[in-house]
Amino acid sequence: MRLPSLAALPAAALLVMLPGTAHGTAPVAPERARRPVPVTQPAPVPRPLAAPLPEYRFTGAGFDACSAPPLEALSAWRTASPYGAVNIYSSGGQRHCSQDRLTPEWVAEARSMGWKLVPTHVGLQAPCADRPDKPLRIDPARAEAQGEEEAQEAAQALRTLGLGPGSPVYLDMEGYPVGDAVCSRAVVDFTAGWTTALHEAGYRSGFYSSMNSGIADLVAAVRAGRSPVPDAIWYARWDGRPTTTGQAGLPDDLWTGHQRIHQYRGSADETYGGVTLNVDRDQLDGPVAGGY
């Protein structure tokens, strides 16, 4: 995900959004030690909603920008840049930047050029988040129900844009302080509701956050046996490494079946084909959207 200005968490790991960044979080703080969660039985390994067809997954370089880029820019970058995927802020009451260009026609044209799309929903944030630019927070007492409500909104937005069942939509959960049990539980509950409702609607569930906060809490929840869990994760750790493996804090046995995106660099101007865009860089090996 990407807000007009992110600072880092997981190094983009979304900890504190920096102005001018895409998602808005770049990890500048070291990983904090977390107490191991005891497991009395094998923890479930997250699996996709269904075996993803080739058109629903992508392995390669991608980028995210605050607004859907002009089609002219996408055309220039398609032939001159190393990228093959781009995110779109498809829904959510706390999106930043204008999305005037994001229409069904834009989506169809971008896909016809060969771009893979990564839908992103920016809604309620963690109860303990310090984000004046995103003041709406999850209510711990209603977290799961709120997650279901936002998933229904996200699924309807995908239908409107012409993105069919089987497509993922990634929940943008910006970085938040660690160590608050109530806050962490609310995020996990919200994400469970989000996943349940998206599956009921026929879509895949994605989750974007800082490696230090949202991803760490999700990993701990999976180890504790919590379900359902998202089909794919998009983690922010601005370490400059375009890889989706070998990440401290992200076990090798979780989200391994084409289920990961790594945002590894934040907010930088890049020029291809004479067109400059401010983007975050991503490495993908995960679900992308498909059309009807």
Side-chain angles (χ1 to χ4, degrees):
M1 348 283 198
R2 164 204 192 81
L3 305 160
S5 62
L6 306 213
L9 285 191
L14 318 177
L15 292 186
V16 183
M17 311 272 273
L18 299 174
T21 69
H23 270 277
T25 6
V28 286
E31 298 281 342
R32 301 191 185 186
R34 304 179 72 83
R35 181 176 302 174
V37 177
V39 180
T40 57
Q41 57 184 6
V45 176
R47 299 297 182 191
L49 178 59
L53 299 173
E55 61 267 31
Y56 286 96
R57 66 174 183 255
F58 177 74
T59 299
F63 72 90
D64 52 289
C66 194
S67 295
L71 289 171
E72 297 78 9
L74 287 186
S75 179
W77 277 44
R78 189 70 189 97
T79 56
S81 82
Y83 302 116
V86 57
N87 96 307
I88 53 173
Y89 286 100
S90 50
S91 57
Q94 301 204 89
R95 289 181 293 177
H96 283 286
C97 298
S98 168
Q99 302 300 332
D100 292 346
R101 286 186 290 269
L102 189 56
T103 64
E105 294 73 24
W106 185 97
V107 166
E109 186 64 25
R111 295 186 69 243
S112 73
M113 294 179 196
W115 285 101
K116 302 299 184 180
L117 303 181
V118 184
T120 308
H121 175 91
V122 189
L124 298 176
Q125 297 296 301
C128 57
D130 182 15
R131 295 302 304 274
D133 60 323
K134 293 180 181 56
L136 303 181
R137 304 281 186 266
I138 297 168
D139 177 357
R142 296 190 58 246
E144 195 159 347
Q146 288 179 323
E148 293 178 359
E149 292 166 2
E150 298 234 347
Q152 292 163 4
E153 174 190 342
Q156 182 55 53
L158 293 193
R159 296 187 195 102
T160 298
L161 291 172
L163 298 173
S167 298
V169 55
Y170 292 79
L171 174 66
D172 186 330
M173 188 65 62
E174 295 299 330
Y176 52 89
V178 299
D180 183 326
V182 172
C183 185
S184 294
R185 176 60 182 269
V187 170
V188 171
D189 288 349
F190 186 90
T191 304
W194 164 263
T195 298
T196 295
L198 280 176
H199 286 182
E200 290 175 351
Y203 289 94
R204 285 187 175 80
S205 162
F207 180 82
Y208 166 91
S209 192
S210 160
M211 185 72 89
N212 290 359
S213 55
I215 299 300
D217 282 336
L218 205 56
V219 167
V222 171
R223 290 306 194 206
R226 182 65 192 273
S227 65
V229 295
D231 301 299
I233 57 169
W234 182 357
Y235 58 95
R237 171 172 281 165
W238 295 356
D239 56 6
R241 299 175 58 232
T243 178
T244 59
T245 60
Q247 292 288 336
L250 184 56
D252 291 338
D253 62 329
L254 301 182
W255 294 288
T256 57
H258 302 291
Q259 295 168 269
R260 297 182 177 188
I261 300 176
H262 177 193
Q263 185 185 79
Y264 64 90
R265 178 184 173 185
S267 193
D269 286 342
E270 297 189 23
T271 303
Y272 297 101
V275 178
T276 300
L277 296 174
N278 183 270
V279 305
D280 289 341
R281 288 184 183 178
D282 304 288
Q283 182 65 26
L284 292 83
D285 183 22
V288 293
Y292 283 104

